[in-house]
Structures are given as C-alpha cells and as structure tokens.
Amino acid sequence: MKNKTLNVMLNLIYSTILILTIYSITYYAVNTDLFKINHIKITGNKFIQDNEILNLIDANKYNILNVDKNKIKQKIKKNIYISDVKIYTKIPNKIILEIQEITPIALTQIDNKYYFIDNYSKLILANIESINFFSAPIITNSSNKNINFKKSNELLTSIFNYKNNLYNKLNEIIYKNDYIILVFTNNTKVQLRKNKYKNDINKLYALFNQIELNEIEHYKYVDLTINKQIIVIENEELVINENEIEL
C-alpha cells in the first residue's frame, strides 16, 4: 500500500515538473527576443511599396511561435490593390509575405470616379498612380443603359485567351445602345452587336484563322454585325479595299 502511494506521489511530482518545464520553455520562447520577428521578406509586389505593406501589419509586435497569419492576411488585404497574400514563417525570426496584386482587365468611369475592373468583375477605385502603372483598356459608356461588367469581363477574357497580343493592342471598348465598338492600335475599329457579341467576336477569330493578314492593325474597320458576312476596310498604309467576306 505504501509503495503504491509512493508511486502515485512520484508520478504526480514528475508530471508537475514536466508541466512546469514545458510552461517555462514556452513562456521563454514566446517572450524572448530570440523568436521575435525581425526579418520580413516581401515578394510579388510591383505597384505596392514594401513600406506600405509593413505599415499595415506592424510585424515587430509578433513572435514567430504565436503569429496570427489570418490576422496579418486580413490587414494586408485592406489595401485595395492586393488581391491575396500567402504567409510563411521561418525559424527563428523570419516571416515571408508573398503578395498577389490585382489584375485589372479594364478601366472605366462611374460618377466622375475611375474604377478598375478585375478578372472577377469587381470594381476597384483607381487613383492617378495606379492608372499610370496598370495597363488596361478603357470602357466608355455612350449608351443610355448601364454596362454589364460581367459580360465585359467575358468579352475581354475571350480576346485574351484567343491571342494575348490582340488583347494588348485593345485600347478602348465603347458601348452604344445596340453595338460594341472595339478600338485597337492605329485606331482600328471593330463593331459587334451587343446582344450577339460572343458570336460576332468568334467571327473575327475565324477571319484571322483563314487569311494571311491576321494582325488587327492591318485593318481600319471591321464590321461583324451582319449575319454570315464580315465587312472589312484595310488600313490606308496598305492597298485600301472594301470587301464583303461570306462565312
């Protein structure tokens, strides 16, 4: 009986010592400067400056062992030009922030303010610095209706996926009441029907796939609004012809 009681007491003592040891080590690790974050590496940012990101998080108050990654992520994403961030820690005192900035696909004006449209059709307020940095075609509303930015996204994504070079040459998208005008490099204009823009843009792709002059700057005007036909006016630098192409 005495031996059993002694064993219980010894086990209790050992457990207490172990708990106190773990607590002491943990307390030391959390509160010592050894694990206090003092090295921050930021990657992926091109528009947003490092100091802007650092000012958002105040990383010096964090310890590598108890850093709240979700909280830091939420703080960084308060910057409207950052779409996502991945956070990695490295013992003993380093944190790595992998920044993903927004991807504007267009720029538009609403109520005297400028907004980027990202690849999720989200409107993001734009300032002079961001407009000068990010390259994106302008969307102009010359109709008496609101623009469906989701459909604009679909049209721009289609052009980008068909040929990245074609998207890079797109300067402006003008919405009329019944038509969409695409304005490319050298002021080339391509006219689509608003209610059949998917069908019409595919006609342009089919045209480029069939002919040798398959760069948009070879043309001054392309009308895709007539069923089974494309009206083409070649650029003045080439021989000017007005043709009707049957599809």
Side-chain angles (χ1 to χ4, degrees):
M1 184 69 180
K2 289 184 179 179
N3 289 337
K4 186 175 181 180
T5 303
L6 181 61
N7 288 335
V8 170
M9 291 181 65
L10 288 173
N11 287 334
L12 181 60
I13 293 171
Y14 293 151
S15 298
T16 303
I17 293 173
L18 179 61
I19 292 171
L20 289 173
T21 302
I22 294 173
Y23 174 80
S24 299
I25 293 172
T26 303
Y27 181 84
Y28 173 79
V30 170
N31 291 279
T32 185
D33 288 342
L34 176 63
F35 295 99
K36 187 176 181 180
I37 295 174
N38 55 25
H39 294 288
I40 303 172
K41 181 179 179 180
I42 303 175
T43 65
N45 55 315
K46 295 180 180 178
F47 174 64
I48 305 298
Q49 300 297 313
D50 287 358
N51 63 322
E52 294 181 67
I53 298 170
L54 294 174
N55 289 337
L56 287 171
I57 61 175
D58 191 19
N60 289 332
K61 70 179 183 180
Y62 294 106
N63 184 290
I64 203 75
L65 300 178
N66 66 353
V67 60
D68 189 336
K69 293 183 180 180
N70 287 330
K71 189 174 182 179
I72 292 178
K73 184 173 184 178
Q74 289 172 7
K75 287 184 176 182
I76 292 175
K77 289 183 69 174
K78 286 181 179 180
N79 187 302
I80 60 175
Y81 301 112
I82 295 176
S83 61
D84 200 9
V85 57
K86 294 180 180 178
I87 302 172
Y88 306 95
T89 54
K90 189 174 182 180
I91 299 295
N93 52 19
K94 185 175 183 179
I95 188 169
I96 301 168
L97 307 176
E98 192 174 290
I99 304 296
Q100 181 178 329
E101 295 178 338
I102 62 170
T103 306
I105 61 171
L107 176 70
T108 193
Q109 185 177 10
I110 303 173
D111 296 331
N112 297 319
K113 292 183 178 180
Y114 287 96
Y115 295 87
F116 287 119
I117 303 166
D118 71 2
N119 49 344
Y120 299 104
S121 304
K122 178 183 175 182
L123 292 176
I124 301 166
L125 188 64
N127 56 26
I128 295 298
E129 291 78 13
S130 61
I131 291 172
N132 288 333
F133 181 84
F134 293 106
S135 178
I138 298 170
I139 293 180
T140 303
N141 190 3
S142 297
S143 72
N144 53 19
K145 301 176 183 178
N146 292 329
I147 295 174
N148 186 323
F149 291 115
K150 184 177 180 181
K151 290 184 177 180
S152 299
N153 192 337
E154 291 174 353
L155 175 59
L156 288 164
T157 301
S158 172
I159 295 172
F160 182 87
N161 289 338
Y162 170 71
K163 188 183 288 187
N164 179 266
N165 187 41
L166 183 63
Y167 171 82
N168 290 336
K169 294 175 181 178
L170 180 60
N171 294 331
E172 187 177 10
I173 305 172
I174 304 172
Y175 279 84
K176 304 285 188 179
N177 285 333
D178 298 316
Y179 300 102
I180 300 172
I181 311 295
L182 307 179
V183 183
F184 290 90
T185 302
N186 295 334
N187 205 33
T188 301
K189 292 182 174 64
V190 177
Q191 182 164 283
L192 320 171
R193 291 168 290 186
K194 187 183 286 187
N195 61 344
K196 292 187 177 181
Y197 70 92
K198 289 183 181 180
N199 178 74
D200 290 349
I201 197 66
N202 283 328
K203 285 167 64 177
L204 181 66
Y205 304 156
L207 172 67
F208 285 165
N209 291 337
Q210 292 177 27
I211 61 178
E212 292 183 4
L213 298 179
N214 58 3
E215 295 295 337
I216 194 67
E217 59 267 27
H218 290 147
Y219 304 96
K220 183 176 181 181
Y221 175 76
V222 181
D223 187 346
L224 304 165
T225 63
I226 303 173
N227 287 331
K228 297 183 179 181
Q229 287 186 340
I230 301 176
I231 297 176
V232 173
I233 301 177
E234 292 183 355
N235 195 301
E236 292 179 358
E237 294 181 358
L238 304 174
V239 177
I240 302 178
N241 291 310
E242 184 172 342
N243 302 310
E244 290 188 4
I245 302 173
E246 295 187 3
L247 296 178

